[in-house]
């Protein structure tokens, strides 16, 4: 027999799983679409990481945006197992950034999304990817049957997660942009 506390915890984890999947899914869809729009320069972004053999750079640059969109859509549609490749991608991205930061190459663009908002590598981006990966863990747990209100709470929280991530990325990119640099040099 499930107690009220256990049912509440199961419901909370279910909402957290829905929120994480929707929020991270939207991040992936947005990033993938942005990369597709900038596919002319995205190969250079991948090459700048200096982690792949030269022959793999165009392959990764061509397939990664489609993979991100597919994983993102699957997460948003409630495909629980999509949290596995999404989490792995986030961990690979975090590791690639950390390796380059460790090499003293934090000046390169992260390639996280919008090319017009060039964003240099930072520990904050590594942390962001690790946090997003952790937010997917509840999505892997068995999900309880939801009432529509609980699903809507998960949808609202996932949308808020996406918007907060988008805002943080935009503000961080603008803080490193040419206008900020010009203002700081005065």
């Amino acid at each position: 027999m499930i107690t009220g506390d256990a049912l509440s915890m199961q419901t909370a984890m279910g909402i957290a799983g829905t929120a994480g999947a929707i929020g991270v899914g939207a991040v992936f869809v947005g990033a993938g679409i942005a990369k597709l729009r900038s596919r002319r320069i995205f190969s250079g972004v991948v090459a700048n990481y200096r982690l792949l053999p030269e022959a793999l750079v165009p392959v990764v640059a061509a397939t990664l945006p489609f993979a991100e969109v597919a994983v993102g859509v699957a997460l948003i549609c409630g495909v629980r197992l999509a949290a596995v490749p999404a989490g792995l991608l986030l961990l690979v991205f975090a590791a690639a950034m950390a390796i380059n930061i460790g090499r003293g190459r934090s000046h390169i663009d992260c390639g996280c999304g919008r090319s017009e908002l060039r964003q240099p590598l930072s520990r904050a981006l590594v942390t962001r990817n690790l946090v997003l990966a952790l937010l997917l863990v509840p999505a892997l747990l068995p999900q309880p049957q939801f009432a529509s209100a609980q699903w809507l709470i998960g949808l609202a929280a996932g949308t808020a997660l996406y918007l907060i991530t988008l805002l943080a990325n935009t503000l961080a990119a603008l803080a490193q942009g040419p206008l900020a640099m010009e203002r700081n040099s005065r």
Side-chain angles (χ1 to χ4, degrees):
M1 182 166 161
I2 298 177
T3 66
D5 287 344
L7 188 58
S8 294
M9 180 57 102
Q10 189 178 29
T11 300
M13 290 304 284
I15 292 171
T18 299
I22 290 172
V24 174
V27 168
F28 269 108
V29 170
I33 289 172
K35 287 172 184 143
L36 287 169
R37 287 184 181 152
S38 302
R39 68 179 147 247
R40 197 172 38 85
I41 62 170
F42 185 60
S43 185
V45 172
V46 173
N48 273 343
Y49 274 87
R50 296 182 185 166
L51 295 172
L52 295 173
E54 199 173 317
L56 286 182
V57 169
V59 175
V60 170
T63 58
L64 183 59
F66 291 106
E68 287 182 334
V69 170
V71 166
V73 168
L75 283 169
I76 292 168
C77 290
V79 179
R80 272 191 314 151
L81 288 180
V84 173
L88 289 174
L89 279 171
L90 288 164
L91 294 175
V92 166
F93 297 158
M97 290 178 197
I99 289 167
N100 274 279
I101 291 168
R103 290 177 176 170
R105 303 190 72 248
S106 61
H107 64 280
I108 67 173
D109 182 20
C110 71
C112 300
R114 301 176 65 176
S115 63
E116 66 273 11
L117 290 175
R118 188 179 176 283
Q119 193 171 2
L121 301 183
S122 68
R123 287 185 173 92
L125 288 174
V126 174
T127 302
R128 178 207 60 194
N129 282 0
L130 295 174
V131 168
L132 290 175
L134 282 173
L135 289 172
L136 289 171
V137 171
L140 291 169
L141 301 173
Q143 299 293 310
Q145 291 291 33
F146 279 145
S148 58
Q150 292 164 331
W151 186 84
L152 287 173
I153 292 168
L155 174 63
T159 302
L161 171 64
Y162 169 68
L163 292 173
I164 289 167
T165 303
L166 185 64
L167 177 63
N169 287 344
T170 302
L171 291 175
L174 289 173
Q176 298 292 323
L179 291 177
M181 296 300 174
E182 179 182 315
R183 188 173 49 247
N184 292 337
S185 67
R186 290 185 208 171

